[in-house]
């Protein structure tokens, strides 16, 4: 256990996946019915994997803490899913999707994994269309595409602003078919509390029934973790409030290496923080950057006047506006990658040009798009010399058809009409590129324990391109894991059912109970949220959009002290043997307090800037990320040693045989 063997197949890049599928072991269909698989998490990765594995004949148990798989956080994805179909005829290909993903990740991801992702992307669209996912279509009936940040082609398939929801419904329907057949046993409102190892292999989990508090033992021949990311370590993020790192962290404590924890994505288009009362942030889809133009006033006095309510943004003349992304990155304009757009917004706000009351917001303006679309619609509708009001009305109808639910959501939250006045946006924590280290088969360093989707680190390097999360989740679930897991399970066809009355299950359950009793045994001075908010402020201020050595060292000490105080003084009312939502939160925050320190340690260790990891000491004259390919072209995989400060670093060197490493430029 613990040796980094990525198991990347030999041979040409474009042939690796085909060769690998031909070389790995398979399980006979008649033997699959004798093999059990646990899947923790039922979002896109977990739902797709569960449905596919059950369809193949395996016996599957699914676990999610929500009351239904339909409430997985995948539902919140808005803008779209990437695939190299080249329907637009604009030069897209598997290689270009592969290249854009590697470049977008600032050359910190595995070539083989990313090429495979690009290779199977087209299959995902075919699968989802067959399931009835209502992708947008163009006039001729073909599936429509739009562009996302960091690319020069249109490859993003979408279902208005509800793409994640529609894709999840497809996976959920496929799961329901297997539940009906008895091939999936669904355990909703259950939380994985620990991973159980028997003879060094993952053989089951300890789960807690969140309705009645009962502790349950569940065994299997393999365990798949598809539990999403850890963005809620920042407290305020675009993640669902229940999103957590517990399953992945339990596996980490049992021997699964945790890779690149400091690689976290800050999304540039979120509704700004309005005050300390907030418990989460709301994402405005990156698809809005297709048509919205981002700007701040050119003059500080205008920015101050807007902040104080003395000047409306619509009153500011065009020549007094700074469309700073178009100015700084003319080739990509408003569609630069997320890390670039986020840092640029922070720089303008830090310089005093922010436009909301706190000075931490920029404008996302649709006036130009409304006028452009209105003129086009007027022409195609036969209007001669339409007046401005008609053009505006027609343009708003086009924008509503493309983004209507997003505009409606913004208006409900902010109480401003984005058709009439520019949206205000600011960067927020969104996605985590780090996660459990996995090999080419998606297996962690624990035999029999797999990680899929955002729970693993494998495809996005130091920054994820927009619309690639849904692509990875469904690729892993539908088209990768169902092949690769058979290579491992082929040795288990004579193993028989795994008993749950062994000493390993007994010890794991006892450890879970002791941990919960310790959580409820604090002195009761502060609430769980008190500690979570404190941790979030440390993380955002010292490990957020920009980091430096001094503050990272401070963060490590502060988080360690906060964790000590948490275990001594947290107040968790109620018992462990009944429904107890404070206990649920306490367990999750306890893990965040360990992860947060490892996050800071990883960021301190990586003396370079790359993608979402921006060290202030390492930047170009223009303020862009400055990589150090000589010393840091590796995956940082951390081995658990009892305390985050004692974690042991292992390095997987990244080999680039098909791409030349360049300074990443979007100008």
């Amino acid at each position: 256990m613990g040796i980094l063997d990525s198991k990347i197949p030999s041979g040409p890049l474009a042939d690796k996946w085909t060769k690998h599928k031909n070389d790995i072991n398979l399980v006979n269909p008649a033997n699959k019915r004798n093999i059990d698989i646990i899947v923790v998490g039922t979002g896109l990765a977990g739902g797709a994997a569960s449905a596919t594995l059950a369809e193949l004949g395996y016996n599957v148990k699914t676990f999610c803490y929500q009351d239904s798989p339909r409430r997985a956080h995948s539902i919140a994805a808005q803008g779209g899913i990437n695939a190299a179909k080249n329907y637009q005829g604009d030069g897209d290909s598997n290689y270009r999707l592969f290249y854009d993903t590697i470049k977008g990740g600032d050359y910190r991801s595995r070539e083989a994994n990313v090429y495979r992702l690009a290779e199977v992307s087209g299959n995902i669209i075919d699968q989802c269309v067959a399931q009835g996912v209502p992708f947008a279509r163009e006039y001729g009936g073909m599936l429509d595409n739009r562009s996302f940040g960091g690319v020069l082609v249109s490859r993003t398939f979408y279902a208005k602003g509800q793409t994640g929801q529609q894709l999840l419904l497809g996976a959920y329907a496929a799961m329901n078919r297997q539940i009906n057949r008895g091939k999936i046993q669904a355990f909703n409102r259950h939380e994985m509390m620990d991973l159980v190892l028997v003879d060094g292999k993952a053989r089951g989990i300890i789960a807690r029934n969140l309705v009645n508090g009962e502790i349950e033992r569940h065994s299997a021949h393999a365990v798949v973790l598809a539990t999403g990311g850890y963005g809620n370590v920042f407290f305020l993020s675009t993640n669902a409030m229940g999103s957590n790192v517990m399953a992945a962290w339990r596996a980490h404590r049992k021997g699964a290496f945790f890779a690149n924890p400091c690689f976290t994505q800050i999304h540039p288009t979120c509704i700004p923080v309005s005050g300390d009362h907030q418990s989460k942030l709301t994402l405005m889809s990156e698809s809005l950057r297709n048509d919205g133009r981002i700007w701040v006033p050119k003059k500080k006095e205008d920015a101050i006047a807007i902040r104080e309510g003395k000047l409306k943004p619509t009153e500011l003349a065009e020549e007094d506006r700074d469309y700073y992304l178009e100015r700084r990155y003319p080739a990509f304009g408003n569609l630069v990658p997320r890390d670039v757009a986020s840092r640029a917004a922070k720089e303008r706000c830090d310089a005093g040009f922010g436009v909301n009351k706190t000075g931490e917001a920029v404008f996302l303006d649709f006036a130009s798009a409304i006028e452009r679309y209105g003129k086009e619609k007027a022409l195609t509708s036969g209007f001669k010399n339409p007046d401005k009001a008609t053009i505006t009305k027609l343009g708003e109808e086009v924008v509503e058809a493309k983004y209507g639910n997003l505009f409606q959501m913004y208006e409900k939250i902010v109480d401003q009409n984005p058709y009439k006045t520019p949206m205000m946006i600011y960067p927020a924590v969104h996605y985590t590129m780090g996660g459990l280290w996995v090999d080419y088969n998606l297996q962690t360093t624990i035999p029999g324990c797999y990680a899929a989707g955002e729970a693993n680190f494998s495809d996005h390097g130091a920054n994820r391109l927009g619309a690639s999360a849904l692509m990875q989740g469904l690729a892993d679930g539908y088209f990768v894991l169902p092949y690769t897991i058979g290579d491992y399970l082929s040795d288990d066809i004579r193993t028989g059912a795994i008993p749950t009355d062994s000493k390993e299950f007994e010890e794991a359950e006892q450890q879970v109970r002791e941990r919960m009793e310790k959580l409820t045994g604090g002195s009761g001075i502060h609430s769980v949220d008190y500690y979570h908010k404190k941790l979030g402020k440390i993380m955002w201020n010292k490990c957020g959009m920009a980091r430096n050595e001094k503050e990272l060292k401070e963060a490590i000490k502060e988080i360690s002290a906060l964790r000590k105080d948490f275990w001594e003084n947290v107040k968790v009312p109620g018992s462990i043997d009944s429904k107890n939502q404070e206990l649920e939160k306490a367990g999750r925050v306890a893990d965040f307090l360990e992860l947060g320190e490892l996050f800071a340690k990883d960021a301190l260790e990586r003396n370079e800037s790359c993608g979402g990891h921006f060290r202030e000491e390492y930047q170009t004259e223009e303020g862009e990320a400055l990589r150090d390919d000589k010393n840091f072209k590796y995956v940082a995989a951390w081995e658990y040693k009892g305390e985050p400060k004692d974690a042991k670093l292992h390095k997987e060197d990244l080999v680039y045989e098909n791409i030349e490493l360049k300074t990443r430029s979007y100008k």
Side-chain angles (χ1 to χ4, degrees):
M1 182 187 294
I3 297 172
L4 294 181
D5 178 7
S6 60
K7 296 186 172 66
I8 295 173
S10 59
L13 185 66
D15 299 337
K16 286 182 186 292
W17 178 228
T18 301
K19 179 180 185 299
H20 191 63
K21 287 189 291 184
N22 290 336
D23 290 347
I24 59 178
N25 294 317
L26 302 175
V27 179
N28 183 301
N31 289 326
K32 289 189 175 87
R33 67 177 70 102
N34 300 317
I35 292 178
D36 305 320
I37 301 174
I38 285 173
V39 180
V40 185
T42 52
L44 285 182
S50 301
T52 309
L53 291 167
E55 184 75 43
L56 288 171
Y58 295 107
N59 306 309
V60 179
K61 286 184 177 182
T62 63
F63 294 81
C64 68
Y65 69 79
Q66 301 93 341
D67 56 359
S68 165
R70 288 179 60 181
R71 293 177 66 84
H73 185 59
S74 299
I75 200 172
Q78 299 166 345
I81 176 171
N82 288 332
K85 286 285 198 180
N86 195 32
Y87 283 167
Q88 305 292 316
D90 54 3
D92 203 7
S93 64
N94 286 347
Y95 183 86
R96 188 171 288 278
L97 174 52
F98 155 73
Y99 174 80
D100 286 343
T101 305
I102 292 275
K103 178 185 175 186
D106 219 353
Y107 305 96
R108 291 293 176 264
S109 46
R110 273 196 206 131
E111 275 195 344
N113 286 66
V114 177
Y115 193 88
R116 175 175 65 186
L117 178 64
E119 192 177 353
V120 304
S121 65
N123 297 341
I124 298 169
I125 305 304
D126 296 340
Q127 168 92 359
C128 294
V129 169
Q131 289 175 338
V133 173
F135 287 121
R137 294 180 182 267
E138 60 175 24
Y139 180 75
M142 293 289 286
L143 297 183
D144 197 13
N145 288 139
R146 55 190 178 200
S147 187
F148 259 55
V151 303
L152 293 172
V153 299
S154 293
R155 66 161 67 100
T156 303
F157 296 78
Y158 64 98
K160 220 169 184 180
Q162 308 170 2
T163 314
Q165 178 177 349
Q166 298 302 329
L167 292 172
L168 187 61
L169 288 173
Y172 178 63
M175 280 183 65
N176 271 342
R177 168 178 149 79
Q178 300 306 323
I179 292 170
N180 260 356
R181 294 180 62 223
K183 295 303 292 181
I184 290 179
Q185 279 184 276
F187 293 86
N188 302 341
R189 298 294 289 139
H190 280 68
E191 185 160 47
M192 172 182 157
M193 306 299 290
D194 209 351
L195 183 70
V196 181
L197 272 55
V198 179
D199 297 328
K201 297 180 179 180
R203 292 302 199 188
I205 65 171
I206 304 297
R208 183 170 183 266
N209 184 322
L210 299 180
V211 176
N212 59 26
E214 288 184 7
I215 305 299
E216 302 174 3
R217 305 177 187 181
H218 295 273
S219 65
H221 298 91
V223 176
V224 178
L225 304 181
T227 49
Y230 48 87
N232 276 353
V233 70
F234 287 83
F235 185 69
L236 285 179
S237 81
T238 66
N239 288 197
M241 287 178 64
S243 297
N244 62 83
V245 76
M246 183 178 285
W249 200 254
R250 298 295 99 197
H252 175 56
R253 289 173 66 105
K254 286 294 178 75
F257 290 4
F258 208 98
N260 297 337
C262 77
F263 285 172
T264 304
Q265 182 168 83
I266 312 293
H267 198 293
T269 53
C270 300
I271 296 178
V273 176
S274 60
D276 287 340
H277 62 282
Q278 276 185 271
S279 54
K280 79 174 299 293
L281 296 173
T282 303
L283 170 71
M284 300 308 297
S285 169
E286 182 174 320
S287 62
L288 297 174
R289 288 199 280 148
N290 268 296
D291 289 312
R293 299 178 71 193
I294 295 171
W295 63 275
V296 293
K298 284 183 178 177
K299 302 171 187 173
K300 282 189 182 179
E301 53 265 33
D302 288 338
I304 293 169
I306 289 173
R307 285 201 293 269
E308 293 176 348
K310 297 175 182 177
L311 179 67
K312 294 180 180 178
T314 51
E315 295 172 344
L316 200 64
E318 190 74 12
E319 60 269 20
D320 292 326
R321 302 179 180 191
D322 178 16
Y323 295 95
Y324 58 88
L325 290 179
E326 297 171 29
R327 168 172 57 82
R328 291 175 61 177
Y329 309 101
F332 284 75
N334 295 296
L335 285 173
V336 292
R338 291 174 174 177
D339 60 316
V340 177
S342 294
R343 283 198 298 275
K346 181 178 187 296
E347 184 275 327
R348 288 290 80 196
C349 291
D350 288 350
F353 295 92
V355 295
N356 69 343
K357 290 180 180 178
T358 65
E360 293 185 322
V362 298
F363 287 127
L364 180 62
D365 195 337
F366 280 81
S368 296
I370 288 170
E371 183 179 358
R372 183 177 72 252
Y373 284 130
K375 288 179 178 178
E376 183 180 320
K377 185 76 178 287
L379 282 171
T380 58
S381 301
F383 288 97
K384 293 183 178 179
N385 301 317
D387 59 19
K388 184 170 175 46
T390 301
I391 290 172
T392 300
K393 180 177 180 294
L394 293 172
E396 287 178 355
E397 289 174 0
V398 175
V399 169
E400 183 179 9
K402 296 181 76 171
Y403 309 113
N405 61 314
L406 299 172
F407 277 51
Q408 184 183 41
M409 182 171 67
Y410 180 88
E411 186 169 4
K412 282 185 176 182
I413 293 171
V414 181
D415 196 26
Q416 290 182 3
N417 183 346
Y419 294 101
K420 305 300 182 186
T421 188
M423 288 183 182
M424 288 185 291
I425 58 167
Y426 194 70
V429 173
H430 179 54
Y431 186 92
T432 54
M433 285 74 68
L436 292 175
W437 184 91
V438 292
D439 61 19
Y440 192 70
N441 291 330
L442 305 186
Q443 187 171 223
T444 70
T445 45
I446 298 175
C449 179
Y450 290 76
E454 192 180 357
N456 75 39
F457 86 98
S458 64
D459 292 338
H460 306 298
N463 174 59
R464 177 177 67 82
L465 289 181
S468 286
L470 305 186
M471 176 175 62
Q472 186 210 349
L474 292 180
D476 286 356
Y478 283 137
F479 298 109
V480 178
L481 185 75
Y483 279 104
T484 60
I485 201 169
D487 190 44
Y488 172 80
L489 291 172
S490 61
D491 291 334
D492 273 320
I493 58 176
R494 294 186 181 87
T495 300
I498 307 296
T500 59
D501 57 357
S502 63
K503 64 178 176 59
E504 289 89 353
F505 275 89
E506 182 72 38
E507 289 171 0
E509 181 180 336
Q510 184 60 30
Q511 289 169 5
V512 166
R513 289 189 179 278
E514 288 173 359
R515 185 167 184 264
M516 289 193 298
E517 287 168 356
K518 188 177 179 183
L519 284 169
T520 56
S523 68
I525 295 175
H526 301 298
S527 69
V528 175
D529 280 348
Y530 167 87
Y531 289 100
H532 199 175
K533 287 180 179 179
K534 272 190 168 296
L535 173 64
K537 286 183 177 177
I538 296 169
M539 295 298 297
W540 180 250
N541 291 332
K542 299 183 178 180
C543 309
M545 290 171 66
R547 300 126 188 216
N548 60 61
E549 181 181 4
K550 175 179 175 291
E551 291 186 339
L552 286 170
K553 287 179 176 178
E554 290 171 357
I556 290 170
K557 290 179 181 177
E558 290 171 16
I559 295 169
S560 180
L562 186 65
R563 184 170 65 251
K564 182 176 183 294
D565 185 60
F566 170 87
W567 281 105
E568 292 174 355
N569 296 315
V570 69
K571 180 178 183 178
V572 181
S575 71
I576 68 172
D577 297 316
S578 62
K579 182 175 179 176
N580 190 335
Q581 289 182 304
E582 281 300 300
L583 180 59
E584 293 171 36
K585 286 199 295 183
R588 297 164 188 170
V589 172
D591 287 336
F592 280 141
L593 284 163
E594 292 187 8
L595 167 68
E597 186 176 338
L598 184 64
F599 184 123
K601 181 183 175 75
D602 185 46
L604 181 64
E605 183 79 20
R606 189 171 283 275
N607 289 309
E608 65 163 352
S609 290
C610 57
H613 168 64
F614 190 76
R615 283 284 295 270
E616 292 172 349
E617 305 95 323
Y618 307 103
Q619 55 182 300
T620 65
E621 291 181 4
E622 295 83 17
E624 304 295 345
L626 183 62
R627 295 196 322 269
D628 180 352
D629 294 331
K630 180 180 179 182
N631 296 304
F632 292 95
K633 187 167 58 66
Y634 62 74
V635 177
W638 295 93
E639 181 181 3
Y640 182 76
K641 290 291 185 181
E643 288 281 336
K645 64 180 175 61
D646 300 323
K648 182 179 179 182
L649 176 62
H650 299 261
K651 300 177 182 178
E652 178 199 340
D653 292 327
L654 294 168
V655 178
Y656 292 100
E657 299 174 334
N658 300 275
I659 280 183
E660 180 185 353
L661 273 68
K662 301 176 181 177
T663 300
R664 195 175 59 151
S665 174
Y666 290 93
K667 294 188 175 179

